Every structure is written in C-alpha cells, then in structure tokens.
Amino acid sequence: MQPSTPRFDRGLTDDLMGYLAASPTPYHAVANAAERLEKAGFSQVAETDEWDASAGGRYVLRGGALIAWYVPEGASPTTPFRIVGAHTDSPNLRVKPQPDTGSFGWRQLATELYGGALLNTWLDRDLGLAGRLTLRDGSTRLVNVDRPLLRVPQLAIHLDRQVNDGLKLDRQRHMTPIWGLGDAAEGDLMAFLADELGLDAAEITGWDLMPHPVEPPAYLGRDQELFAGPRLDNLLSVHAGTAALADAVQSGAELSAIPVLAAFDHEETGSQSDTGADGPLLGNVLERSVFARGGSYEDRARAYAATVCLSSDTGHAVHPNYAERHDPTHHPMPNGGPILKVNVNQRYATDGGGRAVFARACEAAGVPWQNFVSNNAMPCGTTIGPITAARHGITTVDIGVAILSMHSSRELAGSDDPHLLAGALSAFLRDA
C-alpha cells in the first residue's frame, strides 16, 4: 500500500531530520541554527562589542546556547519582546577528563552520565563521537566522527538468565563504551581526534565530547505518519523556533513586538550555568537591546511587563501500553498539534492568561492544539518555563509536542507536528 497523503507539507520535517543528523551536540545545534538565521539576514554580534540601535536581526552564540532577536523599524525602548524558549541539550553520555581506559584487552572510553537518560537505549547501538575541542590559543573546533566508533555492549542472556525479569545497570561499571582492542594508553583519544581534524594533539587542551547514535532519523508507520530520531527532546523545538523566527521576519508582517529565539543549554541538569535558562544570558541580551535603543531601567521594566515567552519542550503522548500512567482525561496524540502544558504547582508556568495567548496563536495559524497534565499520582516534570518566568518576571507559557520514548537515545514523534509547532510559533512571534 502506498503511503497516504500527509495533511501538511512535510518539507519542514525533512529539514528537521537533516538538522538532527547534523546536530549531535548542543554546539553543533546552535551552529546549524545560526547558519539558518544567517540565510534569513541575521548577523552575529559579540558580547564584548558595543551594540547599536539599528533595526535588523542579530544573534549571540555562547557555548551550546543561542539568543537571536529581530528589531523592527521604529522599535522604541519600551517595545515588548515575544520569546520562544527551548533547550539544545539531551540526556546522553559525556567523555570524562581522563578518557583513555580499558581492561582485559579492551580499549574503552571513560564516560559520565548526563541528565536522565534511559540507559538501556544506549546498549548495543553504533555510536559516533562529537563535541568541541578547545585549543591552546583559546579557540574552539567542532568535531563530529559520524560513523560507528563506540559501542556499549550488553551482557549476553546466557550470563544473566534473569535479565528479562528486570535489567539493572550499574552506572559506573556497565556504561563504559568500547572502541577497540589492545591496551589503553593516555592520549589515545586526543591523538585520534587530532588526526581527524588535521591538528597537532599537543594543541588540544580541553574538550567537551559526547557519543551519539549514528542511525539516521527515519519515517515510520504504515502511512509514514510517525518519525523516529535522536534528540527530539528538545532539538525539535529549537528547529521549529529557528524556522518560526526566520518566517516571522521574512513574512512582511508589521511586527508590534521584538521576536526572540532563546535556545539554552543544560536544561536536562537544572539550567544552572552561564548558558542555561537560570543564568544571566537572556536577561543580559534583552536589557542590552533596550539600552542600545536609548532606554532606561524604567523602559526595560515597561518592556518586560508586556513581554510573553512560549517555553517549547517535548511532552508525553499517551502510551498505548502504559495508559494508566497518564491522566485519564488528557491523552495527547502525535499529529494532534502542539500541547499546552499545565501544572498548578508551577512545574509548568502556564496560567489562564497564557492559555489565551497560545490559543490565539494557534487559531491565527490554523493549527489544532491539545492539553497536557500529569496523572495526579505521578510526579510532574518541569522545563525552562518556570525558571524564565521567575528569573525575568515575564509571562511564560509552557507548550511543546507530544512524543513517545522521551529521554531514549531514539525518540518517536508525529510527522506533521514539526510543521504545526513552527506555524503556531511563527504566529506567536508575529503577534498575529
């Protein structure tokens, strides 16, 4: 049977798949988002330079974070902001400071666990290695060995007869990937990566590296109504936000607010870093934009008072095999449109006023949307939403896309949802 015609143009989903494959780390994710924004007319500014008041699109890169904004003609110091917030990091394995290890004739890499990864999904997968290298002169180089290099092998069932009754993994002993045979030697990994990039290994003084699955994203299902891929939490939102920002400024619409994309790092570990949502980066950028346009502290306060942020992160679709884990009356589905996340204990920042803002954006874009709440008997996750609201005192609404297998090394989403999310975000940024 031939796949049915999709309800929406899946060109954005095709592009998302390419973005996911090219963005195995937060550093690659922001570099690729910046490249897309450059094509839309944005230009990078340095935090160490003086910023001017001219109209146009700008962005700041810091580590694995990106803040991009567009100042329309005639914007005043009190012009409010419309912010799409997201995060670039995903739970995974990270290489330790002394990476070269091994035993019993196996060469291995010492890794640490980052965030709340589903550990079993990293077993028996072909893994590449990517990240950034810091050189002696302080410059950085991105590296991406996007081919099978590493593997975390699972113990055979013959040596663990009860494995199917409950797999228990020791985070220190069982999650160390292999990458060859022989005796481990200090400097092996850096020598290998230096050769990959044509560098002198002695020039590498620091690194931030992480294994990644090399299996490419793919459509799935009888009618290809689903797609699977790595890091959907939360590069799906980063990609949609980037597309929405480019669309908003190229649409020709008269912008009544300054559209902003804030893509943070370290959400999966609490956001407390200089590139996380709990750090000063977003506030500094917004304030400097106000001050560059001749504004005062009073003007900044007035602009913030009318500012709204949509915090976009993936959420849970109802799981057909574990429906009892979900709220009995809230069952978000893939391809049902973005979800509005609500939690009265402020694990999500949404309130009734925020709901109205989101509903208006979806209606303007012709996009369906769904409600999400957690089962009362289950703990509720959280996002950058409450952090953003509390740190900056701005109205914040938590939204996202419903997926399955969250925090797996390979997650599952609806093929139409990237288009639906980007459409709603674009309407929001245009204040449509």
Side-chain angles (χ1 to χ4, degrees), residues 4-306:
S4 63
T5 302
R7 289 192 299 150
F8 298 98
D9 177 11
R10 289 187 183 161
L12 195 71
T13 305
D14 292 340
D15 188 67
L16 170 61
M17 289 183 173
Y19 177 74
L20 292 170
S23 304
T25 75
Y27 316 112
H28 291 81
V30 296
N32 290 324
E35 182 179 355
R36 284 165 162 75
L37 291 173
E38 291 268 1
K39 292 178 180 177
F42 286 71
S43 59
Q44 184 176 1
V45 294
E47 293 182 80
T48 53
D49 290 345
E50 183 177 357
W51 295 357
D52 62 40
S54 60
R58 300 171 179 83
Y59 67 88
V60 165
L61 285 180
R62 184 193 288 190
L66 175 147
I67 311 292
W69 67 103
Y70 183 86
V71 180
E73 292 285 353
S76 75
T78 60
T79 299
F81 301 92
R82 285 251 160 170
I83 305 167
V84 170
H87 68 88
T88 61
D89 59 318
S90 302
N92 62 4
L93 310 180
R94 304 281 176 112
V95 174
K96 289 182 177 180
Q98 295 175 211
D100 300 296
T101 188
S103 59
F104 302 100
W106 293 95
R107 297 169 66 193
Q108 296 175 275
L109 290 186
T111 55
E112 192 172 3
L113 300 177
Y114 178 86
L118 278 173
L119 299 184
N120 63 295
T121 69
W122 288 85
L123 301 178
D124 296 332
R125 284 195 182 274
D126 296 337
L127 305 174
L129 186 67
R132 67 177 178 179
L133 304 176
T134 303
L135 306 185
R136 195 170 299 279
D137 63 4
S139 64
T140 59
R141 293 281 298 274
L142 295 183
V143 60
N144 183 9
V145 183
D146 195 29
R147 62 179 186 272
L149 180 70
L150 308 169
R151 187 178 179 91
V152 182
Q154 186 169 357
L155 186 65
I157 192 170
H158 312 79
L159 304 177
D160 184 4
R161 295 290 184 177
Q162 284 74 48
V163 64
N164 288 327
D165 298 324
L167 173 65
K168 185 171 180 60
L169 295 169
D170 184 287
R171 288 163 169 77
Q172 179 64 39
R173 294 185 295 124
H174 299 155
M175 297 304 297
T176 304
I178 60 173
W179 73 308
L181 299 173
D183 296 327
E186 184 177 353
D188 273 357
L189 178 61
M190 289 308 113
F192 169 77
L193 294 176
D195 186 61
E196 287 285 313
L197 293 180
L199 298 172
D200 180 350
E203 291 300 305
I204 302 173
T205 56
W207 52 86
D208 301 279
L209 299 167
M210 51 203 80
H212 65 276
V214 297
E215 183 182 2
Y219 285 105
L220 183 145
R222 187 195 70 175
D223 297 326
Q224 298 188 352
E225 67 266 45
L226 302 169
F227 76 99
R231 300 175 294 280
L232 298 184
D233 178 14
N234 186 33
L235 293 190
L236 191 158
S237 294
V238 175
H239 179 267
T242 303
L245 180 58
D247 178 69
V249 303
Q250 294 177 321
S251 66
E254 184 176 345
L255 300 175
S256 59
I258 296 170
V260 179
L261 171 65
F264 299 104
D265 201 353
H266 301 131
E267 188 273 347
E268 298 292 357
T269 56
S271 295
Q272 292 187 322
S273 70
D274 68 318
T275 53
D278 203 21
L281 183 58
L282 176 61
N284 286 348
V285 168
L286 300 184
E287 286 185 347
R288 291 184 68 178
S289 176
V290 169
F291 297 155
R293 284 175 276 124
S296 62
Y297 177 83
E298 176 73 11
D299 295 323
R300 185 210 70 100
R302 291 173 63 189
Y304 277 29

Side-chain angles (χ1 to χ4, degrees), residues 203-431:
E203 291 300 305
I204 302 173
T205 56
W207 52 86
D208 301 279
L209 299 167
M210 51 203 80
H212 65 276
V214 297
E215 183 182 2
Y219 285 105
L220 183 145
R222 187 195 70 175
D223 297 326
Q224 298 188 352
E225 67 266 45
L226 302 169
F227 76 99
R231 300 175 294 280
L232 298 184
D233 178 14
N234 186 33
L235 293 190
L236 191 158
S237 294
V238 175
H239 179 267
T242 303
L245 180 58
D247 178 69
V249 303
Q250 294 177 321
S251 66
E254 184 176 345
L255 300 175
S256 59
I258 296 170
V260 179
L261 171 65
F264 299 104
D265 201 353
H266 301 131
E267 188 273 347
E268 298 292 357
T269 56
S271 295
Q272 292 187 322
S273 70
D274 68 318
T275 53
D278 203 21
L281 183 58
L282 176 61
N284 286 348
V285 168
L286 300 184
E287 286 185 347
R288 291 184 68 178
S289 176
V290 169
F291 297 155
R293 284 175 276 124
S296 62
Y297 177 83
E298 176 73 11
D299 295 323
R300 185 210 70 100
R302 291 173 63 189
Y304 277 29
T307 290
V308 183
C309 173
L310 290 189
S311 164
S312 181
D313 201 349
T314 54
H316 302 295
V318 61
H319 197 303
N321 299 339
Y322 301 90
E324 72 280 1
R325 303 296 182 97
H326 300 270
D327 183 83
T329 59
H330 293 77
H331 292 162
M333 287 291 293
N335 297 329
I339 56 175
L340 178 72
K341 301 179 179 181
V342 177
N343 180 266
V344 294
N345 295 303
Q346 292 300 295
R347 298 294 283 174
Y348 303 129
T350 305
D351 63 9
R355 177 189 176 97
V357 171
F358 177 65
R360 186 168 65 249
C362 289
E363 289 169 2
V367 166
W369 58 280
Q370 310 174 80
N371 287 296
F372 171 83
V373 296
S374 291
N375 185 307
N376 288 342
M378 301 289 293
C380 179
T382 191
T383 69
I384 64 169
I387 293 171
T388 303
R391 182 169 183 83
H392 305 293
I394 59 179
T395 298
T396 304
V397 189
D398 273 299
I399 68 162
V401 163
I403 69 170
L404 289 182
S405 306
M406 187 185 295
H407 286 199
S408 169
S409 65
R410 192 169 176 86
E411 297 160 323
L412 183 69
S415 299
D416 290 330
D417 279 327
H419 174 95
L420 297 173
L421 176 62
L425 295 180
S426 179
F428 165 75
L429 291 175
R430 289 184 279 111
D431 196 16

